[in-house]
Amino acid sequence: MLEYLKNKKILIVVAHPDDELLGLGASMNRLISDYNTSVHVVILGEGITSRSDNRDVEKWEEELLIHRNNIKQAQAAIGYNSVSIYDFPDNRFDTVALLDIIKVIEKEKAEFKPDVIFTHHGGDVNIDHQRTFEAVITSTRPMEHEHVKAIITFETPSGTEWRASSDPKHFVPNFFISFSYSNLEKKIIGMESYEFEKRAYPHPRSPEALKIQAQRWGVAVGCDFAEAFCIIRLLS
């Protein structure tokens, strides 16, 4: 599968700043450095304003500016090519017409012409992750001239594993990307760039927890470190 991704144009569609690091930061770094992929990230939501009772963009203006600067710092740590940033309301994607999100993704697809899309697992507890997945699937319907040949979902620590144990939509990976400790370090450095998102251990977004998660998937597939994915569609 990694050979399949070689030289490909990869679009990563996420709901919030930091999701691109949490989901596949280390794998992204390896794919760029070892497999000559071209990576464009689309961040749909502003990622901050849900921390108030009511959405007030002006109240969070300073933090939103810092957040956008943090995206650029994370990009530099991973080394991906480009990023588009939108301002859909944080944790309120269910108040937005799904078509509005789809139109953004369709525009980004038309401009970048990706071969592969990585996005959120559709069963995440976070509503923005769910709607992002739905929008990606809708915008890549397998019609005659669809350029995207592969759709792959990732887990988002503190969003995927918190799904209720009785829920049928759990993340069941069928594809794993191994990587070096250096790749993992880049992910952690990038994640630590996010001033409002990084957390102390034992939170799932802490550096220690991110390493443990990478080791956990590595052990599951017989290597030191790995990130887990689910192949939703693959046409070769």
Side-chain angles (χ1 to χ4, degrees):
M1 185 65 190
L2 283 178
E3 286 301 317
Y4 173 86
L5 294 174
K6 190 173 183 177
N7 300 320
K8 292 291 194 295
K9 297 181 74 174
I10 297 175
L11 183 66
I12 297 172
V13 183
V14 298
H16 313 111
D18 85 342
D19 289 339
E20 77 286 5
L21 271 294
L22 292 170
L24 69 161
S27 298
M28 198 188 337
N29 184 249
R30 184 185 177 198
L31 287 169
I32 293 164
S33 61
D34 295 355
Y35 289 88
N36 194 40
T37 58
S38 177
V39 178
H40 178 63
V41 173
V42 176
I43 299 174
L44 295 169
E46 33 85 354
I48 287 282
T49 60
S50 67
R51 300 172 197 198
S52 295
D53 290 338
N54 299 299
R55 189 176 191 235
D56 185 346
V57 174
E58 291 185 1
K59 176 181 178 180
W60 291 92
E61 185 176 359
E62 182 178 343
E63 288 85 354
L64 286 168
L65 179 60
I66 293 171
H67 221 27
R68 289 199 169 214
N69 289 333
N70 292 163
I71 292 170
K72 296 296 186 179
Q73 293 171 323
Q75 178 186 359
I78 299 300
Y80 65 83
N81 300 78
S82 54
V83 60
S84 296
I85 307 166
Y86 294 88
D87 61 354
F88 286 109
D90 183 44
N91 278 287
R92 293 185 173 93
F93 280 23
D94 53 336
T95 68
V96 177
L98 184 61
L99 181 60
D100 292 345
I101 304 173
I102 291 168
K103 291 291 186 183
V104 166
I105 297 170
E106 289 179 337
K107 178 180 78 72
E108 293 288 344
K109 274 180 53 196
E111 292 175 357
F112 186 61
K113 295 180 172 55
D115 306 295
V116 179
I117 293 181
F118 283 82
T119 194
H120 293 282
H121 169 56
D124 281 4
V125 71
N126 187 292
I127 187 62
D128 295 357
H129 297 185
Q130 295 173 29
R131 294 302 289 262
T132 299
F133 172 80
E134 291 168 8
V136 167
I137 293 299
T138 306
S139 68
T140 55
R141 287 163 290 193
M143 299 172 70
E144 182 180 1
H145 300 294
E146 176 56 55
H147 193 271
V148 175
K149 303 304 181 186
I151 301 170
I152 303 170
T153 59
F154 51 77
E155 64 176 345
T156 311
S158 75
T160 306
E161 76 277 24
W162 289 350
R163 171 67 62 177
S165 61
S166 58
D167 194 288
K169 295 182 179 179
H170 279 277
F171 180 68
V172 182
N174 56 15
F175 169 46
F176 301 84
I177 297 178
S178 64
F179 46 80
S180 68
Y181 185 71
S182 175
N183 299 132
L184 176 60
E185 279 187 313
K186 298 290 178 53
K187 172 176 179 166
I188 291 172
I189 290 169
M191 188 59 212
E192 288 294 287
S193 299
Y194 283 110
E195 299 177 37
F196 306 118
E197 306 301 335
K198 61 185 180 181
R199 297 288 187 273
Y201 187 80
H203 194 280
R205 295 200 297 265
S206 66
E208 298 91 340
L210 292 176
K211 181 180 179 183
I212 290 168
Q213 185 78 325
Q215 290 175 313
R216 174 249 179 138
W217 288 124
V219 167
V221 294
C223 61
D224 290 333
F225 306 106
E227 287 170 333
F229 305 91
C230 187
I231 298 172
I232 303 300
R233 182 189 304 155
L234 176 61
L235 178 62
S236 61

